[in-house]
């Protein structure tokens, strides 16, 4: 009998030790982030303002009844004017009255929970982050809030193990982005459609794709991509060859040319695309895509020792406007971005033809600081007096360091176009088609 008692004692002791270890592990995973981790998360003055504003919002949600509902209502206000996303801008709407709180504004409410210096601090954050915004996560029509306020500090939403930070009642916690958001929440960020005209790469010669959303009393203006204020991507559930938006273009006239583009006289047009993934994670709202079209056009050359040497820029590129509200439901979007009149063959007025192919690079816009990126294009040119020559050249342009590269594809001049034309796949779940117009 003693042996049995001893075995039972050791068995019970082992179970207690295992349970204690499991409880320790849970408590470590769920405890608030330490100060050191917080300093790592605050990687810059820009991020510091985002973190602090998120902290204040989380305290207000904990202390004020109906605060979640008030923030949601504010996040939906701009949509009534055609804005594509469910978010509000702190500098534009923070001082406006909250209906649920009488004559108090959001700034007033945050002062009640954060102290008398709160508004002064917020004004300072808006100097660094003029387009600081609060995005509602989840379907506005669904019920229930998580009481979490997340922070977008530039995390990689395509990396499932990436850490994202959030506040609850002023305490900072972390999670991985792959954990699904099951209830509505908010995230403080810099708007993804903000155009920073103080950036050294800002193109002051081309302002056709921007709109001033609001201005501060000191004269600063917050500019956004103009497509953010209107629905530019109508839905078409039809398949190539039938129905949907827009009506099918007329077929090209009959001709005996070797390539279908030879039968057209329009401008090369990035016509439509569809995707099964918007490439914007659950914490970033709706997808915002843009494209860079690369080709050789009007290249200058000199003959040297029986060969050709290119002089001047060998490649041209066009960065398109931004397509907002990209849906990951495989329905067609119609950006209709035109590039060039594609003349492959030389002529008396054009002694060097355009390249036999172009490249299209596809990106999902997530903002951030600018960086330079390079692509190469291998192509051939026909000349009126020296024959056809092949080239391989790079071209560089700037994007934001938070932008996600989706993929690229090559468009050959002799590919068919239109409804029954060639379908390109920059990624396995994305389809593109071109036409001329």
């Amino acid at each position: 009998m003693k042996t049995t008692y001893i075995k039972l004692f050791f068995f019970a002791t082992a179970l207690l030790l295992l349970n204690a270890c499991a409880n320790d592990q849970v408590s470590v995973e769920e405890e608030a982030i330490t100060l050191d981790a917080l300093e790592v998360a605050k990687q810059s003055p820009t991020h510091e303002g985002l973190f602090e504003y998120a902290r204040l919002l989380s305290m207000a949600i904990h202390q004020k009844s109906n605060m979640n509902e008030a923030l949601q209502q504010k996040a939906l206000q701009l949509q009534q004017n055609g804005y594509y996303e469910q978010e509000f801008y702190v500098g534009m709407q923070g001082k406006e009255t909250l209906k649920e709180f009488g004559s108090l504004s959001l700034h007033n409410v945050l002062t009640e929970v954060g102290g008398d210096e709160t508004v002064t601090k917020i004004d300072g954050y808006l100097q660094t982050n003029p387009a600081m915004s609060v995005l509602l996560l989840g379907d506005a029509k669904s019920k229930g809030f998580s009481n979490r306020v997340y922070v977008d500090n530039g995390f990689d939403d395509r990396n499932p193990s990436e850490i994202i930070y959030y506040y609850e009642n002023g305490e900072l916690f972390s999670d991985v982005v792959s954990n699904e958001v099951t209830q509505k929440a908010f995230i403080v960020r810099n708007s993804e459609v903000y155009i920073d005209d103080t950036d050294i790469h800002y193109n002051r010669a081309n302002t056709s794709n921007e709109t001033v959303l609001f201005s501060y009393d000191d004269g600063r203006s917050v500019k956004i991509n103009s497509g953010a204020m209107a629905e530019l991507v109508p839905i078409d559930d039809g398949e190539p060859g039938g129905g949907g938006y827009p009506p099918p273009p007329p077929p090209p006239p009959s001709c005996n040319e070797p390539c279908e583009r030879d039968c057209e006289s329009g401008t090369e047009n990035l016509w439509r695309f569809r995707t099964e993934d918007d490439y914007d994670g659950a914490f970033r709202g709706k997808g915002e895509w843009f494209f860079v079209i690369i080709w050789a056009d009007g290249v200058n050359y000199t003959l040297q020792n029986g060969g050709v040497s290119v002089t001047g820029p060998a490649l041209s590129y066009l960065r398109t406007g931004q397509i907002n509200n990209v849906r990951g439901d495989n329905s067609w979007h119609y950006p209709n971005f035109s590039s060039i009149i594609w003349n492959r063959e030389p002529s008396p007025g054009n002694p060097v033809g355009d390249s036999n192919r172009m490249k299209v690079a596809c990106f999902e816009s997530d903002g951030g600081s600018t960086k330079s990126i390079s692509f190469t294009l291998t192509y051939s040119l026909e000349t009126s007096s020296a024959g056809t020559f092949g080239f391989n050249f790079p071209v560089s342009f700037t994007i934001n360091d938070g932008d996600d590269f989706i993929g690229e594809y090559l468009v050959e001049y002799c590919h068919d176009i239109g409804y029954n034309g060639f379908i390109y796949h920059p990624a396995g779940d994305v389809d593109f088609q071109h036409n001329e117009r």
Side-chain angles (χ1 to χ4, degrees), residues 88-148:
F88 69 86
Y89 288 77
V90 177
M92 179 183 183
Q93 297 159 273
K95 295 181 180 180
E96 295 176 355
T97 302
L98 288 172
K99 294 181 180 180
E100 292 80 358
F101 295 89
S103 61
L104 295 180
S105 68
L106 179 55
H107 281 10
N108 297 146
V109 173
L110 296 183
T111 298
E112 290 185 355
V113 301
D116 293 338
E117 299 298 318
T118 297
V119 172
T120 301
K121 290 180 179 180
I122 292 175
D123 289 341
Y125 303 147
L126 292 174
Q127 288 289 331
T128 309
N129 306 300
M132 182 163 66
S133 65
V134 179
L135 175 72
L136 171 65
L137 300 175
D139 184 353
K141 296 179 181 179
S142 64
K143 296 181 179 180
F145 291 87
S146 68
N147 294 333
R148 293 182 177 184

Side-chain angles (χ1 to χ4, degrees), residues 186-374:
F186 299 93
I187 184 167
V188 179
R189 65 178 190 171
N190 281 310
S191 171
E192 291 188 341
V193 293
Y194 171 55
I195 297 175
D196 185 3
D197 60 8
T198 66
D199 191 281
I200 60 173
H201 299 291
Y202 173 70
N203 184 4
R204 289 173 172 79
N206 181 16
T207 60
S208 59
N209 291 322
E210 62 186 46
T211 297
V212 175
L213 182 64
F214 69 97
S215 297
Y216 287 96
D217 293 339
D218 59 9
R220 290 177 299 144
S221 295
V222 172
K223 301 175 182 178
I224 62 172
N225 185 284
S226 58
M229 290 304 298
E231 175 59 55
L232 298 181
V233 283
I235 296 176
D236 173 20
D237 296 320
E239 292 299 313
Y245 177 97
S254 299
C255 67
N256 296 320
E257 299 295 335
C259 302
E260 189 172 319
R261 281 181 174 85
D262 292 329
C263 304
E264 299 278 4
S265 58
T267 302
E268 184 68 18
N269 186 42
L270 196 161
W271 176 37
R272 65 178 186 172
F273 72 93
R274 62 184 177 184
T275 179
E276 296 176 8
D277 184 350
D278 66 5
Y279 284 81
D280 216 359
F283 295 98
R284 290 262 164 79
K286 298 172 182 176
E288 302 93 2
W289 288 26
F290 68 92
F291 317 102
V292 178
I293 305 170
I294 303 165
W295 71 90
D297 177 29
V299 175
N300 295 320
Y301 72 94
T302 58
L303 296 175
Q304 291 181 347
N305 300 323
V308 168
S309 175
V310 172
T311 58
L315 293 175
S316 301
Y317 72 88
L318 168 69
R319 174 169 172 157
T320 70
Q322 192 164 287
I323 288 292
N324 302 303
N325 197 16
V326 173
R327 305 172 298 273
D329 60 3
N330 216 35
S331 59
W332 288 105
H333 299 68
Y334 291 86
N336 278 318
F337 287 129
S338 297
S339 53
I340 62 170
I341 296 176
W342 198 347
N343 294 320
R344 182 184 58 163
E345 296 182 357
S347 65
N350 185 36
V352 182
D354 299 331
S355 54
N356 66 319
R357 59 171 54 154
M358 62 174 57
K359 178 176 284 188
V360 180
C362 310
F363 299 88
E364 198 283 321
S365 177
D366 278 335
S369 302
T370 54
K371 68 176 183 179
S372 181
I373 188 172
S374 296

